[in-house]
Structures are given as C-alpha cells and as structure tokens.
mmCIF file of all heavy atoms in Angstrom:
data_model
loop_
_atom_site.group_PDB
_atom_site.id
_atom_site.type_symbol
_atom_site.label_atom_id
_atom_site.label_comp_id
_atom_site.label_asym_id
_atom_site.label_seq_id
_atom_site.Cartn_x
_atom_site.Cartn_y
_atom_site.Cartn_z
ATOM 1 N N LEU A 1 44.163 253.402 45.799
ATOM 2 C CA LEU A 1 42.908 254.128 45.602
ATOM 3 C C LEU A 1 42.970 254.897 44.285
ATOM 4 O O LEU A 1 43.965 255.591 44.013
ATOM 5 C CB LEU A 1 42.682 255.092 46.760
ATOM 6 C CG LEU A 1 41.504 256.057 46.646
ATOM 7 C CD1 LEU A 1 40.181 255.292 46.615
ATOM 8 C CD2 LEU A 1 41.540 257.057 47.793
ATOM 9 N N VAL A 2 41.938 254.771 43.484
ATOM 10 C CA VAL A 2 41.896 255.462 42.197
ATOM 11 C C VAL A 2 40.468 255.912 41.934
ATOM 12 O O VAL A 2 39.512 255.279 42.395
ATOM 13 C CB VAL A 2 42.420 254.543 41.073
ATOM 14 C CG1 VAL A 2 41.506 253.344 40.873
ATOM 15 C CG2 VAL A 2 42.608 255.300 39.773
ATOM 16 N N GLN A 3 40.322 256.977 41.187
ATOM 17 C CA GLN A 3 38.987 257.465 40.834
ATOM 18 C C GLN A 3 38.414 256.643 39.694
ATOM 19 O O GLN A 3 39.163 256.053 38.896
ATOM 20 C CB GLN A 3 39.063 258.927 40.426
ATOM 21 C CG GLN A 3 39.405 259.864 41.576
ATOM 22 C CD GLN A 3 39.339 261.320 41.164
ATOM 23 O OE1 GLN A 3 39.342 261.664 39.997
ATOM 24 N NE2 GLN A 3 39.248 262.192 42.165
ATOM 25 N N PRO A 4 37.109 256.599 39.578
ATOM 26 C CA PRO A 4 36.491 255.901 38.446
ATOM 27 C C PRO A 4 37.043 256.426 37.126
ATOM 28 O O PRO A 4 37.218 257.639 36.949
ATOM 29 C CB PRO A 4 35.000 256.225 38.600
ATOM 30 C CG PRO A 4 34.826 256.440 40.068
ATOM 31 C CD PRO A 4 36.088 257.123 40.523
ATOM 32 N N GLY A 5 37.321 255.486 36.236
ATOM 33 C CA GLY A 5 37.918 255.833 34.952
ATOM 34 C C GLY A 5 39.428 255.826 34.961
ATOM 35 O O GLY A 5 40.056 255.911 33.894
ATOM 36 N N GLY A 6 40.019 255.710 36.129
ATOM 37 C CA GLY A 6 41.468 255.704 36.242
ATOM 38 C C GLY A 6 42.078 254.344 35.955
ATOM 39 O O GLY A 6 41.378 253.383 35.605
ATOM 40 N N SER A 7 43.395 254.277 36.127
ATOM 41 C CA SER A 7 44.142 253.045 35.837
ATOM 42 C C SER A 7 45.063 252.698 36.998
ATOM 43 O O SER A 7 45.509 253.576 37.741
ATOM 44 C CB SER A 7 44.983 253.230 34.574
ATOM 45 O OG SER A 7 44.179 253.475 33.441
ATOM 46 N N LEU A 8 45.327 251.409 37.098
ATOM 47 C CA LEU A 8 46.290 250.900 38.074
ATOM 48 C C LEU A 8 47.025 249.734 37.470
ATOM 49 O O LEU A 8 46.504 249.046 36.576
ATOM 50 C CB LEU A 8 45.578 250.429 39.358
ATOM 51 C CG LEU A 8 45.110 251.462 40.372
ATOM 52 C CD1 LEU A 8 44.322 250.775 41.473
ATOM 53 C CD2 LEU A 8 46.276 252.237 40.947
ATOM 54 N N ASN A 9 48.226 249.501 37.972
ATOM 55 C CA ASN A 9 49.011 248.332 37.575
ATOM 56 C C ASN A 9 49.254 247.447 38.783
ATOM 57 O O ASN A 9 49.652 247.939 39.845
ATOM 58 C CB ASN A 9 50.366 248.759 37.017
ATOM 59 C CG ASN A 9 50.259 249.378 35.656
ATOM 60 O OD1 ASN A 9 49.625 248.825 34.760
ATOM 61 N ND2 ASN A 9 50.859 250.539 35.487
ATOM 62 N N LEU A 10 49.025 246.174 38.621
ATOM 63 C CA LEU A 10 49.394 245.190 39.634
ATOM 64 C C LEU A 10 50.539 244.352 39.088
ATOM 65 O O LEU A 10 50.612 244.105 37.890
ATOM 66 C CB LEU A 10 48.215 244.276 39.972
ATOM 67 C CG LEU A 10 46.931 244.936 40.461
ATOM 68 C CD1 LEU A 10 45.878 243.865 40.775
ATOM 69 C CD2 LEU A 10 47.187 245.814 41.653
ATOM 70 N N SER A 11 51.425 243.942 39.971
ATOM 71 C CA SER A 11 52.491 243.040 39.556
ATOM 72 C C SER A 11 52.582 241.869 40.525
ATOM 73 O O SER A 11 52.264 241.995 41.705
ATOM 74 C CB SER A 11 53.829 243.773 39.474
ATOM 75 O OG SER A 11 54.209 244.240 40.749
ATOM 76 N N CYS A 12 53.032 240.752 40.002
ATOM 77 C CA CYS A 12 53.175 239.533 40.786
ATOM 78 C C CYS A 12 54.485 238.883 40.388
ATOM 79 O O CYS A 12 54.658 238.484 39.225
ATOM 80 C CB CYS A 12 52.007 238.590 40.521
ATOM 81 S SG CYS A 12 52.154 236.984 41.341
ATOM 82 N N ALA A 13 55.418 238.788 41.331
ATOM 83 C CA ALA A 13 56.725 238.199 41.063
ATOM 84 C C ALA A 13 56.839 236.867 41.797
ATOM 85 O O ALA A 13 56.899 236.847 43.039
ATOM 86 C CB ALA A 13 57.829 239.145 41.512
ATOM 87 N N PRO A 14 56.880 235.760 41.062
ATOM 88 C CA PRO A 14 57.007 234.455 41.708
ATOM 89 C C PRO A 14 58.454 234.158 42.084
ATOM 90 O O PRO A 14 59.381 234.685 41.461
ATOM 91 C CB PRO A 14 56.505 233.483 40.644
ATOM 92 C CG PRO A 14 56.791 234.173 39.354
ATOM 93 C CD PRO A 14 56.678 235.636 39.614
ATOM 94 N N SER A 15 58.651 233.303 43.080
ATOM 95 C CA SER A 15 60.000 232.938 43.514
ATOM 96 C C SER A 15 60.574 231.822 42.655
ATOM 97 O O SER A 15 61.722 231.426 42.854
ATOM 98 C CB SER A 15 59.991 232.507 44.981
ATOM 99 O OG SER A 15 59.146 231.383 45.166
ATOM 100 N N THR A 16 59.788 231.325 41.689
ATOM 101 C CA THR A 16 60.262 230.316 40.750
ATOM 102 C C THR A 16 60.145 230.872 39.345
ATOM 103 O O THR A 16 59.457 231.889 39.133
ATOM 104 C CB THR A 16 59.436 229.024 40.895
ATOM 105 O OG1 THR A 16 60.017 227.992 40.085
ATOM 106 C CG2 THR A 16 58.005 229.237 40.429
ATOM 107 N N SER A 17 60.809 230.233 38.393
ATOM 108 C CA SER A 17 60.738 230.706 37.018
ATOM 109 C C SER A 17 59.288 230.742 36.548
ATOM 110 O O SER A 17 58.527 229.791 36.752
ATOM 111 C CB SER A 17 61.544 229.794 36.100
ATOM 112 O OG SER A 17 61.257 230.096 34.745
ATOM 113 N N ILE A 18 58.943 231.815 35.902
ATOM 114 C CA ILE A 18 57.566 231.961 35.436
ATOM 115 C C ILE A 18 57.227 230.889 34.399
ATOM 116 O O ILE A 18 56.055 230.545 34.216
ATOM 117 C CB ILE A 18 57.341 233.396 34.910
ATOM 118 C CG1 ILE A 18 55.872 233.792 35.005
ATOM 119 C CG2 ILE A 18 57.899 233.554 33.505
ATOM 120 C CD1 ILE A 18 55.630 235.267 34.900
ATOM 121 N N PHE A 19 58.240 230.317 33.752
ATOM 122 C CA PHE A 19 58.003 229.252 32.776
ATOM 123 C C PHE A 19 57.645 227.919 33.435
ATOM 124 O O PHE A 19 57.157 227.023 32.761
ATOM 125 C CB PHE A 19 59.220 229.070 31.862
ATOM 126 C CG PHE A 19 59.315 230.104 30.779
ATOM 127 C CD1 PHE A 19 60.405 230.934 30.693
ATOM 128 C CD2 PHE A 19 58.301 230.244 29.845
ATOM 129 C CE1 PHE A 19 60.498 231.892 29.698
ATOM 130 C CE2 PHE A 19 58.378 231.195 28.841
ATOM 131 C CZ PHE A 19 59.486 232.026 28.771
ATOM 132 N N SER A 20 57.887 227.797 34.723
ATOM 133 C CA SER A 20 57.523 226.566 35.428
ATOM 134 C C SER A 20 56.086 226.601 35.913
ATOM 135 O O SER A 20 55.591 225.623 36.466
ATOM 136 C CB SER A 20 58.465 226.325 36.610
ATOM 137 O OG SER A 20 58.211 227.267 37.643
ATOM 138 N N ILE A 21 55.421 227.720 35.698
ATOM 139 C CA ILE A 21 54.061 227.910 36.194
ATOM 140 C C ILE A 21 53.065 227.561 35.102
ATOM 141 O O ILE A 21 53.087 228.163 34.032
ATOM 142 C CB ILE A 21 53.853 229.362 36.677
ATOM 143 C CG1 ILE A 21 54.818 229.669 37.826
ATOM 144 C CG2 ILE A 21 52.412 229.581 37.090
ATOM 145 C CD1 ILE A 21 54.819 231.103 38.268
ATOM 146 N N ASN A 22 52.213 226.587 35.379
ATOM 147 C CA ASN A 22 51.223 226.171 34.386
ATOM 148 C C ASN A 22 50.251 227.299 34.056
ATOM 149 O O ASN A 22 49.883 227.521 32.911
ATOM 150 C CB ASN A 22 50.426 224.968 34.899
ATOM 151 C CG ASN A 22 51.294 223.765 35.135
ATOM 152 O OD1 ASN A 22 52.270 223.538 34.416
ATOM 153 N ND2 ASN A 22 50.953 222.978 36.135
ATOM 154 N N PHE A 23 49.828 227.995 35.104
ATOM 155 C CA PHE A 23 48.829 229.038 34.945
ATOM 156 C C PHE A 23 49.041 230.052 36.045
ATOM 157 O O PHE A 23 49.068 229.686 37.228
ATOM 158 C CB PHE A 23 47.421 228.445 35.029
ATOM 159 C CG PHE A 23 46.305 229.403 34.755
ATOM 160 C CD1 PHE A 23 46.189 230.016 33.527
ATOM 161 C CD2 PHE A 23 45.343 229.680 35.722
ATOM 162 C CE1 PHE A 23 45.147 230.901 33.250
ATOM 163 C CE2 PHE A 23 44.315 230.569 35.474
ATOM 164 C CZ PHE A 23 44.209 231.174 34.237
ATOM 165 N N ILE A 24 49.212 231.303 35.694
ATOM 166 C CA ILE A 24 49.381 232.367 36.678
ATOM 167 C C ILE A 24 48.287 233.388 36.431
ATOM 168 O O ILE A 24 48.006 233.727 35.283
ATOM 169 C CB ILE A 24 50.790 232.995 36.620
ATOM 170 C CG1 ILE A 24 50.977 234.019 37.746
ATOM 171 C CG2 ILE A 24 51.089 233.583 35.259
ATOM 172 C CD1 ILE A 24 52.428 234.431 37.943
ATOM 173 N N CYS A 25 47.670 233.843 37.505
ATOM 174 C CA CYS A 25 46.474 234.653 37.299
ATOM 175 C C CYS A 25 46.211 235.553 38.497
ATOM 176 O O CYS A 25 46.891 235.478 39.523
ATOM 177 C CB CYS A 25 45.267 233.742 37.074
ATOM 178 S SG CYS A 25 44.914 232.649 38.448
ATOM 179 N N TRP A 26 45.208 236.386 38.338
ATOM 180 C CA TRP A 26 44.715 237.259 39.391
ATOM 181 C C TRP A 26 43.258 236.908 39.694
ATOM 182 O O TRP A 26 42.442 236.789 38.772
ATOM 183 C CB TRP A 26 44.795 238.727 38.983
ATOM 184 C CG TRP A 26 46.178 239.257 38.937
ATOM 185 C CD1 TRP A 26 47.000 239.305 37.859
ATOM 186 C CD2 TRP A 26 46.914 239.814 40.026
ATOM 187 N NE1 TRP A 26 48.207 239.857 38.201
ATOM 188 C CE2 TRP A 26 48.185 240.191 39.528
ATOM 189 C CE3 TRP A 26 46.640 240.041 41.368
ATOM 190 C CZ2 TRP A 26 49.175 240.768 40.334
ATOM 191 C CZ3 TRP A 26 47.624 240.620 42.162
ATOM 192 C CH2 TRP A 26 48.864 240.982 41.650
ATOM 193 N N TYR A 27 42.986 236.738 40.972
ATOM 194 C CA TYR A 27 41.629 236.631 41.465
ATOM 195 C C TYR A 27 41.315 237.918 42.226
ATOM 196 O O TYR A 27 42.216 238.667 42.611
ATOM 197 C CB TYR A 27 41.491 235.456 42.446
ATOM 198 C CG TYR A 27 41.357 234.096 41.815
ATOM 199 C CD1 TYR A 27 42.459 233.421 41.307
ATOM 200 C CD2 TYR A 27 40.115 233.470 41.756
ATOM 201 C CE1 TYR A 27 42.326 232.157 40.752
ATOM 202 C CE2 TYR A 27 39.973 232.198 41.215
ATOM 203 C CZ TYR A 27 41.087 231.553 40.711
ATOM 204 O OH TYR A 27 40.950 230.307 40.171
ATOM 205 N N ARG A 28 40.042 238.128 42.461
ATOM 206 C CA ARG A 28 39.648 239.223 43.336
ATOM 207 C C ARG A 28 38.463 238.786 44.201
ATOM 208 O O ARG A 28 37.693 237.901 43.817
ATOM 209 C CB ARG A 28 39.285 240.481 42.544
ATOM 210 C CG ARG A 28 38.004 240.390 41.731
ATOM 211 C CD ARG A 28 37.828 241.649 40.893
ATOM 212 N NE ARG A 28 36.595 241.589 40.100
ATOM 213 C CZ ARG A 28 36.291 242.491 39.165
ATOM 214 N NH1 ARG A 28 37.114 243.501 38.898
ATOM 215 N NH2 ARG A 28 35.157 242.376 38.497
ATOM 216 N N GLN A 29 38.382 239.448 45.339
ATOM 217 C CA GLN A 29 37.265 239.161 46.243
ATOM 218 C C GLN A 29 36.788 240.461 46.869
ATOM 219 O O GLN A 29 37.552 241.141 47.559
ATOM 220 C CB GLN A 29 37.681 238.172 47.330
ATOM 221 C CG GLN A 29 36.519 237.703 48.185
ATOM 222 C CD GLN A 29 36.852 236.488 49.019
ATOM 223 O OE1 GLN A 29 38.016 236.188 49.275
ATOM 224 N NE2 GLN A 29 35.830 235.754 49.429
ATOM 225 N N ALA A 30 35.542 240.773 46.595
ATOM 226 C CA ALA A 30 34.905 241.945 47.182
ATOM 227 C C ALA A 30 34.173 241.519 48.455
ATOM 228 O O ALA A 30 33.824 240.346 48.608
ATOM 229 C CB ALA A 30 33.941 242.570 46.190
ATOM 230 N N PRO A 31 33.929 242.442 49.369
ATOM 231 C CA PRO A 31 33.239 242.095 50.619
ATOM 232 C C PRO A 31 31.899 241.432 50.348
ATOM 233 O O PRO A 31 31.089 241.929 49.560
ATOM 234 C CB PRO A 31 33.058 243.450 51.302
ATOM 235 C CG PRO A 31 34.168 244.284 50.780
ATOM 236 C CD PRO A 31 34.351 243.841 49.350
ATOM 237 N N GLY A 32 31.688 240.290 50.979
ATOM 238 C CA GLY A 32 30.425 239.583 50.841
ATOM 239 C C GLY A 32 30.253 238.821 49.550
ATOM 240 O O GLY A 32 29.189 238.263 49.289
ATOM 241 N N LYS A 33 31.306 238.773 48.727
ATOM 242 C CA LYS A 33 31.207 238.084 47.447
ATOM 243 C C LYS A 33 32.236 236.974 47.357
ATOM 244 O O LYS A 33 33.218 236.947 48.093
ATOM 245 C CB LYS A 33 31.391 239.071 46.288
ATOM 246 C CG LYS A 33 30.295 240.107 46.190
ATOM 247 C CD LYS A 33 30.427 240.914 44.906
ATOM 248 C CE LYS A 33 29.276 241.885 44.766
ATOM 249 N NZ LYS A 33 29.376 242.663 43.491
ATOM 250 N N LYS A 34 31.990 236.050 46.424
ATOM 251 C CA LYS A 34 32.930 234.951 46.217
ATOM 252 C C LYS A 34 34.158 235.452 45.461
ATOM 253 O O LYS A 34 34.102 236.425 44.701
ATOM 254 C CB LYS A 34 32.259 233.841 45.407
ATOM 255 C CG LYS A 34 31.147 233.112 46.135
ATOM 256 C CD LYS A 34 30.589 231.983 45.285
ATOM 257 C CE LYS A 34 29.501 231.225 46.020
ATOM 258 N NZ LYS A 34 28.929 230.136 45.207
ATOM 259 N N ARG A 35 35.264 234.765 45.695
ATOM 260 C CA ARG A 35 36.476 235.077 44.956
ATOM 261 C C ARG A 35 36.264 234.681 43.500
ATOM 262 O O ARG A 35 35.754 233.592 43.203
ATOM 263 C CB ARG A 35 37.658 234.318 45.557
ATOM 264 C CG ARG A 35 39.005 234.774 45.089
ATOM 265 C CD ARG A 35 40.135 234.119 45.876
ATOM 266 N NE ARG A 35 40.157 234.577 47.264
ATOM 267 C CZ ARG A 35 41.167 234.346 48.104
ATOM 268 N NH1 ARG A 35 42.214 233.653 47.679
ATOM 269 N NH2 ARG A 35 41.107 234.783 49.344
ATOM 270 N N GLU A 36 36.682 235.546 42.575
ATOM 271 C CA GLU A 36 36.504 235.255 41.153
ATOM 272 C C GLU A 36 37.798 235.474 40.379
ATOM 273 O O GLU A 36 38.611 236.338 40.725
ATOM 274 C CB GLU A 36 35.388 236.149 40.556
ATOM 275 C CG GLU A 36 35.638 237.636 40.642
ATOM 276 C CD GLU A 36 34.469 238.462 40.111
ATOM 277 O OE1 GLU A 36 33.482 237.892 39.605
ATOM 278 O OE2 GLU A 36 34.555 239.707 40.190
#
C-alpha cells in the first residue's frame, strides 16, 4: 500500500538463468479489467 505520488519496487526472481528468458515482463490486472 502506498499513497499517491509514492514509489514501490517489485522484484521477480526466475528459477532459470535470466539470459535464457526471451522476454521477462510485468502484467497487471485491476478488478473488472483485462490483464495488461
């Protein structure tokens, strides 16, 4: 939880070498909306 204007960090650690990953990314999905 953060206030408007604030900052957050997300991290994602794969179980395989990150160099073996063609594309690594973040999606999000809000209630009632499509994942983007």
